[in-house]
Amino acid sequence: MHDASLLGCVALLIGAVTAFSPTDSEFTFLLPAASKECFYQSAVRNGSIEIEYQVIAGAGMDVDFSIVSPQAIHLVSEFRRSDGVHMVEPTEAGDYQICFDNNFSRFSEKMVFFEVIMDSPANDGGADDEWAGLGEPESLLEYKLDDIKESMETVHRRLERSRQMQTVLRAFEARDRNLLEDNLWRVSFWSCVNLLVLLSVALTQVCSLRWLFSDRRRVCS
């Protein structure tokens, strides 16, 4: 009997962790020059949306960014930014428009990474109902279900935040690597140009000195 209760509680704990999980999606795309790309994210009422973006490659490393609500209201508008984090809370029911604009750049394309984290209050409510229906068994290692639930929620939030931070750090690493590669190409190119200039100057100086000290008088015998 006790084993059956324990197995039931473990199954409920696993289901609760799944219910607490927010919807998380991330995407990396290439934004062509002189163009605009928009993405749509569905949301429920009284939830929250967290959007984080970074430009990880491209000249200038910047884009225009905007968020438009389902009622066509501009919630966020940023211009020539390389990164940003924005939270929309509470949300309205409908589709939110997330746009990246590169119209100001006529020749350079940009590589953009962004992450959308959705949190719906319905999931937490369902989990609470399941916990309330189970009750409080007296012989579950002398722990109350409320304490276990709170501990699991805390661990899950911290793990989820750690995963998000690792994703952001990977995006920063990709942006820094692209920047270093671009700088390496520039340094190599201008080093070659300077080397050619130095060789040309040295050759010119040698020719000039030889011309100055050469004896151009004719000797009559």
Side-chain angles (χ1 to χ4, degrees):
M1 181 66 179
H2 295 299
D3 294 338
S5 300
L6 181 59
L7 290 176
C9 292
V10 171
L12 183 58
L13 292 176
I14 297 175
V17 171
T18 304
F20 296 147
S21 300
T23 303
D24 185 5
S25 58
E26 55 190 54
F27 189 52
T28 301
F29 68 99
L30 192 63
L31 181 61
S35 65
K36 180 179 181 180
E37 294 285 347
C38 292
F39 302 86
Y40 295 87
Q41 176 64 56
S42 299
V44 298
R45 186 176 180 84
N46 293 329
S48 65
I49 301 178
E50 182 179 355
I51 303 171
E52 181 168 358
Y53 71 94
Q54 294 180 31
V55 182
I56 60 177
M61 307 283 283
D62 53 359
V63 293
D64 294 342
F65 174 77
S66 62
I67 301 176
V68 183
S69 71
Q71 305 299 327
I73 299 175
H74 284 262
L75 303 177
V76 177
S77 293
E78 293 184 333
F79 304 97
R80 308 293 294 268
R81 293 289 301 272
S82 61
D83 57 73
V85 181
H86 300 282
M87 173 76 75
V88 179
E89 185 179 10
T91 56
E92 304 174 5
D95 294 332
Y96 282 80
Q97 185 177 359
I98 305 169
C99 294
F100 300 89
D101 193 348
N102 194 31
N103 279 315
F104 60 86
S105 180
R106 296 297 178 182
F107 305 102
S108 176
E109 59 187 13
K110 309 292 176 61
M111 184 174 292
V112 182
F113 162 83
F114 72 96
E115 182 180 24
V116 179
I117 302 173
M118 297 286 301
D119 192 7
S120 172
N123 292 339
D124 294 341
D128 291 338
D129 293 339
E130 293 180 358
W131 281 96
L134 182 63
E136 294 187 2
E138 298 178 354
S139 59
L140 185 57
L141 303 178
E142 299 181 356
Y143 285 102
K144 294 183 179 179
L145 288 180
D146 290 338
D147 297 334
I148 299 176
K149 174 186 173 183
E150 183 179 357
S151 299
M152 290 183 63
E153 289 177 346
T154 302
V155 172
H156 180 265
R157 283 195 300 267
R158 292 177 178 176
L159 289 175
E160 186 67 21
R161 189 58 182 171
S162 298
R163 190 192 63 78
Q164 295 168 10
M165 290 300 299
Q166 289 177 353
T167 302
V168 172
L169 290 176
R170 285 197 298 268
F172 273 116
E173 180 184 1
R175 184 178 68 177
D176 293 341
R177 183 175 63 251
N178 292 326
L179 184 60
L180 288 174
E181 291 176 354
D182 185 59
N183 289 338
L184 176 62
W185 182 87
R186 293 183 181 182
V187 170
S188 300
F189 173 77
W190 287 111
S191 297
C192 294
V193 171
N194 290 331
L195 180 60
L196 292 176
V197 171
L198 288 175
L199 292 176
S200 301
V201 170
L203 183 61
T204 302
Q205 289 178 346
V206 171
C207 293
S208 300
L209 289 174
R210 292 188 62 181
W211 181 81
L212 289 175
F213 289 98
S214 63
D215 189 3
R216 294 184 299 274
R217 293 176 300 175
R218 293 182 179 178
V219 179
C220 297
S221 56

PDB file of all heavy atoms in Angstrom, residues 4-21:
ATOM      1  N   ALA A   4       2.592   1.613  -3.364  1.00  0.00           N
ATOM      2  CA  ALA A   4       1.695   2.124  -4.403  1.00  0.00           C
ATOM      3  C   ALA A   4       1.499   3.627  -4.253  1.00  0.00           C
ATOM      4  O   ALA A   4       1.482   4.375  -5.242  1.00  0.00           O
ATOM      5  CB  ALA A   4       0.345   1.402  -4.334  1.00  0.00           C
ATOM      6  N   SER A   5       1.356   4.083  -2.994  1.00  0.00           N
ATOM      7  CA  SER A   5       1.203   5.520  -2.770  1.00  0.00           C
ATOM      8  C   SER A   5       2.452   6.278  -3.178  1.00  0.00           C
ATOM      9  O   SER A   5       2.389   7.356  -3.772  1.00  0.00           O
ATOM     10  CB  SER A   5       0.881   5.783  -1.295  1.00  0.00           C
ATOM     11  OG  SER A   5      -0.325   5.137  -0.939  1.00  0.00           O
ATOM     12  N   LEU A   6       3.627   5.684  -2.865  1.00  0.00           N
ATOM     13  CA  LEU A   6       4.878   6.343  -3.210  1.00  0.00           C
ATOM     14  C   LEU A   6       5.042   6.442  -4.720  1.00  0.00           C
ATOM     15  O   LEU A   6       5.445   7.484  -5.246  1.00  0.00           O
ATOM     16  CB  LEU A   6       6.045   5.565  -2.601  1.00  0.00           C
ATOM     17  CG  LEU A   6       7.441   6.149  -2.850  1.00  0.00           C
ATOM     18  CD1 LEU A   6       7.523   7.560  -2.280  1.00  0.00           C
ATOM     19  CD2 LEU A   6       8.506   5.257  -2.230  1.00  0.00           C
ATOM     20  N   LEU A   7       4.703   5.338  -5.440  1.00  0.00           N
ATOM     21  CA  LEU A   7       4.796   5.375  -6.897  1.00  0.00           C
ATOM     22  C   LEU A   7       3.831   6.394  -7.485  1.00  0.00           C
ATOM     23  O   LEU A   7       4.145   7.098  -8.444  1.00  0.00           O
ATOM     24  CB  LEU A   7       4.509   3.980  -7.474  1.00  0.00           C
ATOM     25  CG  LEU A   7       5.576   2.902  -7.212  1.00  0.00           C
ATOM     26  CD1 LEU A   7       5.114   1.562  -7.739  1.00  0.00           C
ATOM     27  CD2 LEU A   7       6.900   3.307  -7.854  1.00  0.00           C
ATOM     28  N   GLY A   8       2.637   6.484  -6.903  1.00  0.00           N
ATOM     29  CA  GLY A   8       1.677   7.480  -7.386  1.00  0.00           C
ATOM     30  C   GLY A   8       2.177   8.892  -7.173  1.00  0.00           C
ATOM     31  O   GLY A   8       2.008   9.757  -8.033  1.00  0.00           O
ATOM     32  N   CYS A   9       2.808   9.145  -6.032  1.00  0.00           N
ATOM     33  CA  CYS A   9       3.342  10.484  -5.758  1.00  0.00           C
ATOM     34  C   CYS A   9       4.483  10.816  -6.710  1.00  0.00           C
ATOM     35  O   CYS A   9       4.583  11.935  -7.213  1.00  0.00           O
ATOM     36  CB  CYS A   9       3.826  10.571  -4.317  1.00  0.00           C
ATOM     37  SG  CYS A   9       2.492  10.485  -3.103  1.00  0.00           S
ATOM     38  N   VAL A  10       5.367   9.824  -6.992  1.00  0.00           N
ATOM     39  CA  VAL A  10       6.478  10.067  -7.919  1.00  0.00           C
ATOM     40  C   VAL A  10       5.957  10.383  -9.309  1.00  0.00           C
ATOM     41  O   VAL A  10       6.440  11.296  -9.984  1.00  0.00           O
ATOM     42  CB  VAL A  10       7.409   8.841  -7.941  1.00  0.00           C
ATOM     43  CG1 VAL A  10       8.440   8.980  -9.063  1.00  0.00           C
ATOM     44  CG2 VAL A  10       8.105   8.686  -6.603  1.00  0.00           C
ATOM     45  N   ALA A  11       4.930   9.636  -9.746  1.00  0.00           N
ATOM     46  CA  ALA A  11       4.344   9.916 -11.064  1.00  0.00           C
ATOM     47  C   ALA A  11       3.743  11.303 -11.111  1.00  0.00           C
ATOM     48  O   ALA A  11       3.854  12.016 -12.116  1.00  0.00           O
ATOM     49  CB  ALA A  11       3.284   8.860 -11.387  1.00  0.00           C
ATOM     50  N   LEU A  12       3.104  11.707 -10.019  1.00  0.00           N
ATOM     51  CA  LEU A  12       2.522  13.043  -9.980  1.00  0.00           C
ATOM     52  C   LEU A  12       3.597  14.112  -9.981  1.00  0.00           C
ATOM     53  O   LEU A  12       3.436  15.172 -10.601  1.00  0.00           O
ATOM     54  CB  LEU A  12       1.638  13.188  -8.738  1.00  0.00           C
ATOM     55  CG  LEU A  12       0.891  14.523  -8.596  1.00  0.00           C
ATOM     56  CD1 LEU A  12       0.012  14.766  -9.815  1.00  0.00           C
ATOM     57  CD2 LEU A  12       0.056  14.535  -7.329  1.00  0.00           C
ATOM     58  N   LEU A  13       4.714  13.849  -9.288  1.00  0.00           N
ATOM     59  CA  LEU A  13       5.811  14.812  -9.281  1.00  0.00           C
ATOM     60  C   LEU A  13       6.355  15.014 -10.686  1.00  0.00           C
ATOM     61  O   LEU A  13       6.624  16.131 -11.119  1.00  0.00           O
ATOM     62  CB  LEU A  13       6.932  14.323  -8.349  1.00  0.00           C
ATOM     63  CG  LEU A  13       6.612  14.300  -6.852  1.00  0.00           C
ATOM     64  CD1 LEU A  13       7.781  13.706  -6.084  1.00  0.00           C
ATOM     65  CD2 LEU A  13       6.298  15.690  -6.345  1.00  0.00           C
ATOM     66  N   ILE A  14       6.515  13.914 -11.438  1.00  0.00           N
ATOM     67  CA  ILE A  14       7.014  14.028 -12.807  1.00  0.00           C
ATOM     68  C   ILE A  14       6.021  14.788 -13.667  1.00  0.00           C
ATOM     69  O   ILE A  14       6.387  15.650 -14.477  1.00  0.00           O
ATOM     70  CB  ILE A  14       7.286  12.623 -13.384  1.00  0.00           C
ATOM     71  CG1 ILE A  14       8.381  11.927 -12.589  1.00  0.00           C
ATOM     72  CG2 ILE A  14       7.662  12.705 -14.866  1.00  0.00           C
ATOM     73  CD1 ILE A  14       8.623  10.494 -13.004  1.00  0.00           C
ATOM     74  N   GLY A  15       4.737  14.532 -13.498  1.00  0.00           N
ATOM     75  CA  GLY A  15       3.730  15.261 -14.256  1.00  0.00           C
ATOM     76  C   GLY A  15       3.701  16.730 -13.898  1.00  0.00           C
ATOM     77  O   GLY A  15       3.483  17.591 -14.751  1.00  0.00           O
ATOM     78  N   ALA A  16       3.942  17.032 -12.621  1.00  0.00           N
ATOM     79  CA  ALA A  16       3.943  18.431 -12.195  1.00  0.00           C
ATOM     80  C   ALA A  16       5.100  19.187 -12.807  1.00  0.00           C
ATOM     81  O   ALA A  16       4.965  20.333 -13.215  1.00  0.00           O
ATOM     82  CB  ALA A  16       4.006  18.510 -10.668  1.00  0.00           C
ATOM     83  N   VAL A  17       6.283  18.540 -12.878  1.00  0.00           N
ATOM     84  CA  VAL A  17       7.432  19.195 -13.498  1.00  0.00           C
ATOM     85  C   VAL A  17       7.140  19.518 -14.946  1.00  0.00           C
ATOM     86  O   VAL A  17       7.469  20.593 -15.454  1.00  0.00           O
ATOM     87  CB  VAL A  17       8.675  18.287 -13.376  1.00  0.00           C
ATOM     88  CG1 VAL A  17       9.813  18.851 -14.208  1.00  0.00           C
ATOM     89  CG2 VAL A  17       9.089  18.184 -11.922  1.00  0.00           C
ATOM     90  N   THR A  18       6.486  18.572 -15.652  1.00  0.00           N
ATOM     91  CA  THR A  18       6.116  18.837 -17.041  1.00  0.00           C
ATOM     92  C   THR A  18       5.131  19.989 -17.128  1.00  0.00           C
ATOM     93  O   THR A  18       5.189  20.824 -18.035  1.00  0.00           O
ATOM     94  CB  THR A  18       5.510  17.567 -17.660  1.00  0.00           C
ATOM     95  OG1 THR A  18       6.438  16.501 -17.526  1.00  0.00           O
ATOM     96  CG2 THR A  18       5.190  17.785 -19.124  1.00  0.00           C
ATOM     97  N   ALA A  19       4.199  20.056 -16.194  1.00  0.00           N
ATOM     98  CA  ALA A  19       3.204  21.130 -16.224  1.00  0.00           C
ATOM     99  C   ALA A  19       3.817  22.479 -15.945  1.00  0.00           C
ATOM    100  O   ALA A  19       3.351  23.494 -16.445  1.00  0.00           O
ATOM    101  CB  ALA A  19       2.104  20.838 -15.195  1.00  0.00           C
ATOM    102  N   PHE A  20       4.894  22.527 -15.139  1.00  0.00           N
ATOM    103  CA  PHE A  20       5.509  23.808 -14.798  1.00  0.00           C
ATOM    104  C   PHE A  20       6.380  24.346 -15.925  1.00  0.00           C
ATOM    105  O   PHE A  20       6.825  25.482 -15.867  1.00  0.00           O
ATOM    106  CB  PHE A  20       6.380  23.647 -13.538  1.00  0.00           C
ATOM    107  CG  PHE A  20       5.585  23.289 -12.315  1.00  0.00           C
ATOM    108  CD1 PHE A  20       6.135  22.474 -11.327  1.00  0.00           C
ATOM    109  CD2 PHE A  20       4.281  23.750 -12.162  1.00  0.00           C
ATOM    110  CE1 PHE A  20       5.401  22.142 -10.210  1.00  0.00           C
ATOM    111  CE2 PHE A  20       3.558  23.410 -11.040  1.00  0.00           C
ATOM    112  CZ  PHE A  20       4.115  22.603 -10.063  1.00  0.00           C
ATOM    113  N   SER A  21       6.693  23.521 -16.943  1.00  0.00           N
ATOM    114  CA  SER A  21       7.646  23.920 -17.970  1.00  0.00           C
ATOM    115  C   SER A  21       7.056  25.005 -18.861  1.00  0.00           C
ATOM    116  O   SER A  21       5.994  24.812 -19.448  1.00  0.00           O
ATOM    117  CB  SER A  21       8.034  22.709 -18.838  1.00  0.00           C
ATOM    118  OG  SER A  21       8.626  21.718 -18.046  1.00  0.00           O
TER     119      SER A  21
END
